């Protein structure tokens, strides 16, 4: 780990093991050596995504895969139900709008979680909807939406369940095949412990069937071409070779620990952070808390940017401010991926307590 400790909800800390694998000499991607790496990576991605379905990898930030999922699985004019309670749910909705889909937007106040009943009602009202767009961990509010319960509704409907799991995957439990989630989107720089630059989309058979009827324009994010190449452990375009080598190592680390243990570690560290913060007399923002990060409401008279600045300048701990309407009002304390350890949480809590005290909040001092 470097001088600074990244307790931000992306990018996150990259373990040395993963960094080291990226500094080896370059290899060419149209070779048996690279194919062998890709074969292992594709297999391990399936285990981490809890699926037997193909997981496509792209050189892009997570948003690229979100856009790709809309472009490839839907058709101009298709009705989609967007369920959002934060900035990232809104992004998925906005991408669908940009491409001319008929978006029915269900918006809840920031901090709340979607209820399966509301999604059930929306599906009844719009029986012709082709997809439901949902977020596993809404990183702007630290809420985790009930993906499993929503999947129980969509799997018997005509609508695909498309989940933005960019920050949630590897932190909050997600069992794609068991739960019947059709599409899972992810990015490299959060729970997967990699630098930014890779995005992923896992698509099940129901979703693959939708590719053919899609008439939206696409070139780089072409799932049909990517799937065809994947079967030969190849990619249509030049892959991000160094990042993929890092990915191989990161996946190995996750699987050595085991996904259930990885989720349990996140749950344990998240519970600890939440309970310590509550004991300081502070309010948590999320109604249904994700294990990837904790959103802490700033007490009256304390600005989040001052707390964040003290943590950075005095403790070399980096946390994130709120986004959009929440800017200045919350501090987002991430405990995802490689930064999800007791030691990192301790350092974060110490820095946070000190910064609050320096900002004039007394309750923290009593601890
Ligand atoms: C970080 C994040 C994104 C955006 O990913 P980029 O890699 O910045 O494109 C999308 N959705 C969620 C839930 C995120 O946390």
């Amino acid at each position: 780990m470097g001088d600074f400790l990244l307790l931000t909800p992306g990018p996150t800390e990259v373990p040395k093991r993963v960094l080291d694998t990226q500094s080896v000499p370059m290899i060419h991607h149209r070779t048996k050596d690279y194919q062998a790496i890709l074969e292992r990576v594709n297999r391990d991605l399936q285990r981490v995504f809890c699926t037997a379905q193909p997981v496509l990898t792209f050189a892009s930030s997570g948003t690229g895969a979100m856009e790709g999922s809309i472009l490839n699985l839907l058709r101009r004019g298709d009705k989609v139900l967007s369920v959002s309670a934060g900035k990232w749910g809104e992004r998925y909705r906005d991408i669908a709008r940009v491409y001319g889909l008929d978006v029915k937007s269900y918006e809840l106040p920031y901090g709340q979680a979607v209820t399966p009943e509301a999604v059930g009602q929306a599906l009844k009202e719009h029986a012709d909807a082709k997809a439901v767009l949902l977020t596993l961990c809404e990183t702007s509010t630290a809420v985790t939406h009930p993906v499993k319960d929503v999947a129980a509704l969509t799997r018997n409907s005509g609508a695909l369940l498309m989940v933005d799991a960019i920050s949630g995957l590897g932190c909050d439990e997600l069992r794609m095949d068991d739960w019947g989630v059709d599409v899972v989107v992810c990015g490299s720089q959060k729970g997967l412990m990699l630098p930014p630059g890779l995005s992923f989309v896992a698509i099940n058979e129901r979703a693959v069937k939708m590719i053919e009827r899609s008439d939206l324009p696409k070139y780089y994010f072409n799932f049909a071409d990517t799937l065809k190449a994947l079967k030969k452990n190849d990619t249509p375009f030049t892959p991000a070779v160094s990042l993929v080598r890092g990915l191989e190592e990161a996946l190995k680390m996750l699987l050595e620990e085991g996904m259930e243990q990885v989720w349990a570690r996140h749950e344990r560290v998240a519970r600890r952070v939440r309970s310590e913060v509550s004991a300081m007399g502070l309010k948590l923002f999320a109604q249904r808390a994700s294990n990837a990060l904790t959103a802490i409401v700033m007490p009256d008279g304390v600005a989040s940017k001052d707390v964040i600045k003290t943590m950075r300048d005095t403790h070399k701990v980096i946390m994130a401010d709120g986004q959009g309407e929440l800017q200045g009002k919350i501090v987002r304390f991430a405990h995802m991926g490689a930064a999800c350890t007791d030691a990192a949480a301790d350092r974060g809590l110490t820095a946070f307590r000190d910064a609050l005290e320096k900002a004039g909040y007394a309750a923290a001092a009593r601890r």
Side-chain angles (χ1 to χ4, degrees):
M1 310 266 157
D3 214 9
F4 286 94
L5 176 64
L6 284 178
L7 298 182
T8 40
T12 59
E13 289 290 332
V14 180
K16 182 156 190 313
R17 254 177 86 173
V18 175
L19 285 174
D20 286 349
T21 54
Q22 292 171 77
S23 58
V24 300
M26 189 50 53
I27 60 170
H28 196 274
H29 57 288
R30 308 286 183 210
T31 56
K32 288 232 171 341
D33 287 345
Y34 187 72
Q35 276 173 2
I37 293 173
L38 211 51
E39 187 178 357
R40 291 192 292 273
V41 161
N42 288 334
R43 183 200 59 210
D44 287 351
L45 275 172
Q46 290 176 314
R47 294 176 60 199
V48 167
F49 278 63
C50 299
T51 185
Q53 311 295 334
V55 185
L56 311 182
T57 301
F58 297 97
S60 80
S61 86
T63 306
M66 292 170 80
E67 182 159 344
S69 68
I70 298 284
L71 289 180
N72 285 273
L73 307 178
L74 295 160
R75 200 181 149 81
R76 226 176 293 255
D78 272 355
K79 186 183 279 184
V80 304
L81 309 180
S82 154
V83 202
S84 68
K87 184 178 147 70
W88 301 108
E90 289 162 13
R91 178 169 294 185
Y92 220 173
R93 176 198 70 194
D94 292 347
I95 296 170
R97 278 184 180 155
V98 160
Y99 285 99
L101 300 185
D102 177 13
V103 180
K104 303 297 173 204
S105 180
Y106 292 83
E107 291 157 32
L108 289 149
Y110 280 33
Q112 289 191 15
V114 162
T115 65
E117 292 73 27
V119 178
Q121 188 58 37
L123 280 167
K124 247 187 227 141
E125 274 165 34
H126 301 285
D128 55 341
K130 292 290 189 287
V132 172
L133 310 180
L134 190 63
T135 317
L136 174 62
C137 166
E138 174 50 74
T139 326
S140 64
T141 64
V143 163
T144 180
H145 291 298
V147 170
K148 182 184 182 182
D149 296 339
V150 172
L153 301 170
T154 50
R155 69 190 301 174
N156 301 312
S157 80
L160 295 179
L161 178 58
M162 301 172 57
V163 175
D164 168 1
I166 292 178
S167 63
L169 198 127
C171 307
D172 291 314
E173 181 181 13
L174 176 63
R175 299 177 189 272
M176 179 175 172
D177 289 1
D178 288 356
W179 294 357
V181 179
D182 301 290
V183 178
V184 173
V185 177
C186 194
S188 54
Q189 77 276 25
K190 308 202 179 179
L192 295 185
M193 311 185 290
L194 285 158
L198 292 179
S199 68
F200 309 92
V201 194
I203 42 176
N204 71 6
E205 281 151 22
R206 233 160 67 110
V208 168
K209 281 202 194 101
M210 298 286 277
I211 293 176
E212 230 171 276
R213 65 181 281 288
S214 166
D215 63 351
L216 294 166
K218 54 200 147 269
Y219 193 92
Y220 181 75
F221 292 104
N222 185 313
F223 287 9
D225 289 353
T226 310
L227 272 170
K228 206 151 102 201
L230 182 98
K231 292 201 174 94
K232 297 177 285 178
N233 292 308
D234 200 359
T235 49
F237 306 106
T238 310
V241 173
S242 304
L243 282 171
V244 171
R245 299 195 86 153
L247 173 63
E248 184 184 8
E249 196 63 22
L251 295 172
K252 215 186 274 173
M253 287 179 71
L254 289 169
L255 295 170
E256 278 167 9
E257 186 177 356
M259 290 315 292
E260 293 192 347
Q261 286 73 22
V262 170
W263 297 328
R265 169 167 53 85
H266 282 78
E267 184 174 347
R268 183 173 56 73
V269 172
R271 272 181 197 279
R272 230 192 92 209
V273 170
R274 290 196 294 261
S275 88
E276 297 257 351
V277 166
S278 300
M280 292 178 207
L282 297 173
K283 274 221 295 279
L284 303 175
F285 189 71
Q287 181 202 60
R288 191 175 185 278
S290 163
N291 293 325
L293 78 161
T294 298
I296 308 160
V297 180
M298 288 297 97
D300 284 342
V302 176
S304 53
K305 75 169 186 343
D306 297 335
V307 174
I308 288 165
K309 187 176 186 312
T310 305
M311 288 195 280
R312 185 188 58 223
D313 295 349
T314 312
H315 300 274
K316 300 197 169 189
V317 167
I318 316 290
M319 292 192 201
D321 205 330
Q323 298 168 292
E325 63 185 62
L326 294 174
Q327 193 177 357
K329 301 193 176 123
I330 59 170
V331 167
R332 291 179 301 148
F333 182 150
H335 24 75
M336 51 174 77
C340 180
T341 63
D342 285 313
D346 282 341
R347 195 168 148 194
L349 286 164
T350 301
F352 182 68
R353 216 174 261 129
D354 179 56
L356 268 184
E357 258 177 60
K358 291 200 165 94
Y361 180 65
R366 284 202 296 272
R367 289 274 305 163

